[in-house]
Amino acid sequence: MRQDSHGPIGVFDSGIGGLTVLKALMARLPHERTVYLGDTARVPYGTKSGEVVTRYSLKNAEFLMERGIKLLVVACNTASAAALPALSAALPVPVLGVIEPGARAALRQTRGGGVGVIGTPGTIRSGAYQRALEAGSPQVAVKARACPLFVPLAEEGWTTGDVPLLVAREYLAGFARDGVDTLVLGCTHYPLLKGVIAEVVGPDVSLVDSAEATAEAVAELLGARGLLAPEAPTAPEHAYFVTDVPERFVEVGARFLGRAIPSAEQVDLRF
C-alpha cells in the first residue's frame, strides 16, 4: 500500500480521554488532518480481557483505514498494552501507542532516581509501562500506582480546588518520599489534572505527559518516512466519530481537546 502524505492521521480511544493525545498532535503538527474515533459504546476497555480489547482495536483500526489514514495512533493506554502487536501485524500503515513514547521520555528526564507511573487500574495491572521502562533502563526503580478517581474528576471538570487536591494527596503523597524524580501521567485523562498533580508531588518531580511524548514520536516517524503534510493555505480538517452518545462526547470532549468540537458522527461498528 502506497502511503500518501496528504492522508489524515487516525486516532482511536475507548472514549474521550484520547482527545488529550489529539490535542498534542494538533499542537505539534498543525498542518495534519486527523480522524478520531471514540468507542464510547464499549468504554471502558480497562475492565475487559486483552483478547476482547484486541478485537475492538482491530475493528476500530479497520474503520479508520477506510478513511485513508497514513498512520494510526492508539491513544488508549489499555489498547496500547494489549493490542499493539496485533495492530502492527494487521495494518499496512505505521502504528504507534502511547506507552513506549511516554516511557522513553521518562528515561530521558530522570536524574537517576526512581520513575513513577500513575494510571488506571487496568493499565497499572498490565505492567506495560513498568516493562517498557525496565527494558529501556534495567536498573531503573519503578513505582506504579493506580489512581482511578482521577478519571471521573477529569470528566466532571473537577480539575482544581479542594476535592481533586485531597484525592491527589491520597494517591501521590508517597512518591517524593520514595525517591521518585520523574512521574509518568499514564492515562489520557490525567493531563487535565496536571496542575493539582504537580502541586502534590512538588517541584523536584518532573511530570511526563504521554500525550506530548506520543505527538513528538509521530512527528519524528512521519518526518523520517517523508509523510509530513505540506503546508496549506487553509486549516486542516478534523473529523470525529463515536459509537454512542455524540452529544456528551461533544460537550465533555471540548475540555479535553481545549477547543470546541463542531460535531461528532455516531457510527455502528458491528462485531
Side-chain angles (χ1 to χ4, degrees):
M1 176 181 177
R2 181 180 178 275
Q3 291 168 256
D4 182 0
S5 63
H6 291 84
I9 297 171
V11 182
F12 83 77
D13 182 53
S14 59
I16 63 175
L19 289 169
T20 59
V21 177
L22 184 61
K23 178 182 179 180
L25 285 168
M26 289 177 171
R28 179 64 181 83
L29 297 163
H31 304 296
E32 298 288 348
R33 296 164 53 217
T34 65
V35 183
Y36 183 94
L37 172 63
D39 191 12
T40 47
R42 281 168 279 273
V43 68
Y45 281 8
T47 58
K48 297 174 174 64
S49 69
E51 180 184 358
V52 167
V53 170
T54 298
R55 181 153 47 92
Y56 290 172
S57 298
L58 289 168
K59 194 67 176 179
N60 295 339
E62 178 186 326
F63 174 85
L64 292 169
M65 285 298 302
E66 291 170 355
R67 275 132 194 93
I69 64 171
K70 62 184 177 183
L71 178 144
L72 176 66
V73 177
V74 183
C76 173
N77 281 270
T78 300
S80 292
L84 217 58
L87 289 166
S88 297
L91 301 187
V93 300
V95 180
L96 286 176
V98 292
I99 291 172
E100 292 288 343
R104 288 196 301 269
L107 291 174
R108 287 194 299 269
Q109 286 196 28
T110 183
R111 303 180 299 279
V115 175
V117 180
I118 55 175
T120 64
T123 296
I124 299 303
R125 187 169 56 249
S126 76
Y129 273 104
Q130 297 93 309
R131 288 192 299 273
L133 287 162
E134 289 164 0
S137 178
Q139 72 274 16
V140 69
V142 182
K143 181 179 177 62
R145 181 169 296 164
C147 303
L149 289 180
F150 280 171
V151 169
L153 286 172
E155 293 199 2
E156 291 300 322
W158 287 23
T159 56
T160 60
D162 291 342
V163 172
L165 192 59
L166 287 169
V167 173
R169 283 175 179 156
E170 183 68 25
Y171 286 145
L172 308 176
F175 274 115
R177 292 196 304 268
D178 292 339
V180 167
D181 66 23
T182 304
L183 180 62
V184 180
L185 307 183
C187 172
T188 52
H189 285 67
Y190 295 1
L192 275 72
L193 292 151
K194 191 182 291 186
V196 167
I197 293 169
E199 182 177 347
V200 171
V201 298
D204 293 332
V205 178
S206 300
L207 300 186
V208 173
D209 185 341
S210 290
E212 294 175 356
T214 301
E216 189 59 40
V218 169
E220 291 174 3
L221 192 153
L222 291 179
R225 299 199 179 193
L227 290 174
L228 288 168
E231 293 189 27
T234 57
E237 295 179 356
H238 303 290
Y240 305 90
F241 297 90
V242 293
T243 53
D244 193 24
V245 195
E247 295 79 12
R248 174 171 169 78
F249 176 87
V250 168
E251 177 188 354
V252 178
R255 291 201 299 270
F256 285 72
L257 191 61
R259 65 172 76 182
I261 298 174
S263 63
E265 181 180 341
Q266 185 172 343
V267 294
D268 184 6
L269 302 186
R270 298 187 181 275
F271 289 87

